[in-house]
Amino acid sequence: MSANSKMTAAQIGVSKKEMKKNGVKRSTGALIMDIIIYVLMTILMIVAVYPLYYCLVASFSDAKQILASTGPLFAPLKPYTMHGYKMAFQNAGVLIGFRNTLFYVVGGTLLSLSVTMAGAFCVSRKYFYIRGIAMKLILVTMFFSGGIIPLFFVVRWIGIYDTVWAFVLPFGVSAYNLIIMRTFFSGIPAALEEAALLDGANELQILVYVIMPLSTAVIAVIAMYYGVGYWNSWYPSLMFQRDRNLFPLQMFLREVLITNQSTSVAKDVTMQSAEAFDRELIKYCMVIISTVPILCIYPFLQRYFVKGVMVGAIKG
């Protein structure tokens, strides 16, 4: 092939731009498909975002006006109020739930991420002779489980029932996350590991000083998965915890939304009507309180999502 026939990637990019400038148009079918895709994605976005937006708007609205309103809500209903948030934070359960949830998210994510990285590193190494058997056993857990009752007895027998560990350990590692990370680790050149071995590094040092710095994207994504999972989790607490001082924030939210328990301190029978209005307002405030903090983390990790998941899903 002659030198004149070769084109660099930059030249190809320029050629494509020149083709657009020269008036090369897309087919009518492609344009119609683009319109359909944009319309469907817009509808899905509205369906996903509007419930949260409704809760946000309703949390600043008057409770009586909310109950009287029957149509869609696009702006807070006057008189505007912060009364719902004041009552929510006056409830000791909210502060306890925040404290416990932060502990579960930080501690649980670090523990789950550490175990996942260690497991993924092992099954991604060719010299780990039972890695094929290990991967098959990991895959089995994605489709089959012992069930809730055996899990309950296991938690009691190992002595973590009604402790903070009951929230973290039973569901601490996700096979799906481990497979993503294992695939990513498999794509890292083996020459880097061999060079570290020649320098006298052991497997732990290779993982910490060689593999982890090259896996920032997938680690950030998996950490986000675990963090969001712990933040939204309440089922382990429902099954394995009886002490309310161990409940996460989502358990107190469940009490407000499902069991319809009042968070108001009012006990007089004459105030039941006011409590009903307050309870309706607190529902929306609790949803916002339990959702907004975790949403604030997404913008900082968004750039890692596509890179981490796609590379981890394709390589190897």
Side-chain angles (χ1 to χ4, degrees):
M1 183 180 292
S2 64
N4 294 331
S5 61
K6 295 182 180 180
M7 297 182 67
T8 64
Q11 290 172 331
I12 293 173
V14 172
S15 299
K16 290 181 178 179
K17 292 180 180 179
E18 290 177 352
M19 290 175 63
K20 292 181 179 179
K21 290 181 180 179
N22 292 333
V24 178
K25 296 182 179 179
R26 302 183 63 189
S27 64
T28 304
L31 292 175
I32 293 175
M33 183 57 65
D34 285 346
I35 293 173
I36 293 174
I37 291 174
Y38 281 120
V39 170
L40 290 177
M41 292 304 296
T42 302
I43 293 174
L44 290 175
M45 182 187 68
I46 294 173
V47 170
V49 173
Y50 180 73
L52 182 60
Y53 176 77
Y54 184 96
C55 291
L56 177 63
V57 171
S59 66
F60 294 101
S61 302
D62 181 69
K64 296 180 181 179
Q65 297 296 329
I66 295 174
L67 292 175
S69 176
T70 56
L73 191 61
F74 298 103
L77 300 176
K78 296 180 180 181
Y80 308 140
T81 179
M82 294 286 292
H83 183 58
Y85 289 102
K86 292 179 181 178
M87 287 189 299
F89 283 107
Q90 285 176 357
N91 179 24
V94 174
L95 299 179
I96 293 173
F98 257 118
R99 180 198 65 192
N100 295 336
T101 298
L102 289 175
F103 174 79
Y104 294 144
V105 169
V106 176
T109 299
L110 291 176
L111 178 62
S112 298
L113 192 61
S114 300
V115 176
T116 301
M117 285 192 296
F121 178 75
C122 290
V123 296
S124 66
R125 302 301 96 184
K126 294 182 180 179
Y127 53 79
F128 185 58
Y129 296 110
I130 63 170
R131 65 173 185 158
I133 298 175
M135 280 303 303
K136 289 182 176 62
L137 294 176
I138 292 170
L139 287 172
V140 167
T141 64
M142 297 181 66
F143 304 100
F144 305 99
S145 67
I148 296 176
I149 295 176
L151 178 62
F152 179 82
F153 282 116
V154 168
V155 170
R156 293 197 64 175
W157 287 339
I158 63 178
I160 62 174
Y161 181 78
D162 204 18
T163 66
V164 295
W165 299 109
F167 192 90
V168 176
L169 293 182
F171 306 97
V173 178
S174 167
Y176 175 78
N177 293 341
L178 191 148
I179 292 172
I180 291 178
M181 191 167 286
R182 172 254 181 192
T183 308
F184 193 100
F185 288 173
S186 298
I188 296 176
L192 296 174
E193 182 178 353
E194 293 172 0
L197 288 172
L198 291 175
D199 289 337
N202 55 37
E203 280 74 12
L204 180 60
Q205 291 173 326
I206 292 172
L207 174 61
V208 174
Y209 297 111
V210 178
I211 302 298
M212 288 178 58
L214 298 175
S215 308
T216 305
V218 73
I219 291 174
V221 172
I222 300 304
M224 188 66 183
Y225 286 167
Y226 279 127
V228 173
Y230 281 117
W231 183 274
N232 292 327
S233 183
W234 56 270
Y235 195 57
S237 181
L238 180 66
M239 288 193 298
F240 307 130
Q241 292 177 335
R242 292 294 174 265
D243 186 356
R244 291 179 63 86
N245 290 322
L246 301 177
F247 282 2
L249 181 62
Q250 301 299 332
M251 274 294 289
F252 294 102
L253 175 63
R254 176 181 176 273
E255 291 181 352
V256 174
L257 297 180
I258 298 178
T259 62
N260 212 23
Q261 292 186 11
S262 173
T263 57
S264 174
V265 296
K267 301 297 181 181
D268 198 295
V269 177
T270 60
M271 301 181 67
Q272 288 182 356
S273 178
E275 283 193 2
F277 290 118
D278 292 343
R279 190 159 55 245
E280 185 69 19
L281 185 60
I282 289 175
K283 289 181 181 180
Y284 299 114
C285 296
M286 286 290 292
V287 170
I288 298 301
I289 291 172
S290 62
T291 304
V292 170
I294 199 67
L295 289 179
C296 295
I297 301 177
Y298 277 99
F300 300 99
L301 298 178
Q302 183 179 6
R303 61 192 177 118
Y304 295 111
F305 284 172
V306 175
K307 181 180 178 182
V309 175
M310 292 304 294
V311 175
I314 294 174
K315 281 192 175 181

